[in-house]
Amino acid sequence: VQLVESGGGLVQAGGSLRLSCAASGFSFDESAVGWFRQAPGKEREGILCISSRARITYYVDSVKGRFTMSSDNDKNTAYLQMNSLKPEDTAVYYCASRPYFCPGLGPSLPSRFGSWGQGTQVTVSS
């Protein structure tokens, strides 16, 4: 199982980025994929998750209306579209996978995902 994120970079506040998560070794038809982020000195937090049935779960209220998630099962790739970016969105962004469904929000949320990418840096300047 391998997950590879791409699409991070430096963007001004108010700008947009689209992150990609290319997966191999498993099928999106049987997996849920989540996006997480970790800012310096902070714990890793869940952002969004899409289940094997394309149901989306938001874990952070602050991204509602700005971030959306989609997946292309034929390409085994998940996307995180980030609009209206703010400096507080600056973090390393990770994608992760687990079987079938997105778990509920809780303190052990990252541990519910078994496979992780290496992360991609997103920096939003003010």
Side-chain angles (χ1 to χ4, degrees):
V1 174
Q2 186 175 21
L3 298 163
V4 179
E5 302 95 335
S6 61
L10 174 64
V11 64
Q12 288 188 335
S16 298
L17 282 174
R18 188 176 82 155
L19 305 184
S20 298
C21 173
S24 60
F26 66 96
S27 172
F28 274 24
D29 292 336
E30 299 177 343
S31 303
V33 177
W35 283 99
F36 292 75
R37 64 185 179 186
Q38 187 166 19
K42 294 188 177 181
E43 293 185 353
R44 190 169 299 189
E45 67 171 356
I47 310 171
L48 286 161
C49 178
I50 188 166
S51 73
S52 60
R53 294 189 177 186
R55 180 175 181 176
I56 294 176
T57 300
Y58 280 86
Y59 294 124
V60 179
D61 287 341
S62 64
V63 305
K64 289 182 179 179
R66 300 190 298 124
F67 291 12
T68 60
M69 184 174 181
S70 61
S71 65
D72 185 332
N73 286 15
D74 290 338
K75 295 182 178 179
N76 243 30
T77 300
Y79 304 97
L80 179 64
Q81 178 66 44
M82 305 186 294
N83 300 324
S84 303
L85 282 161
K86 303 176 181 180
E88 50 265 42
D89 295 318
T90 294
V92 178
Y93 283 69
Y94 300 88
C95 64
S97 68
R98 68 180 312 281
Y100 294 110
F101 66 91
C102 300
L105 183 62
S108 61
L109 180 62
S111 67
R112 305 285 296 277
F113 289 78
S115 299
W116 290 81
Q118 82 290 348
T120 185
Q121 176 70 46
V122 172
T123 303
V124 184
S125 62
S126 57

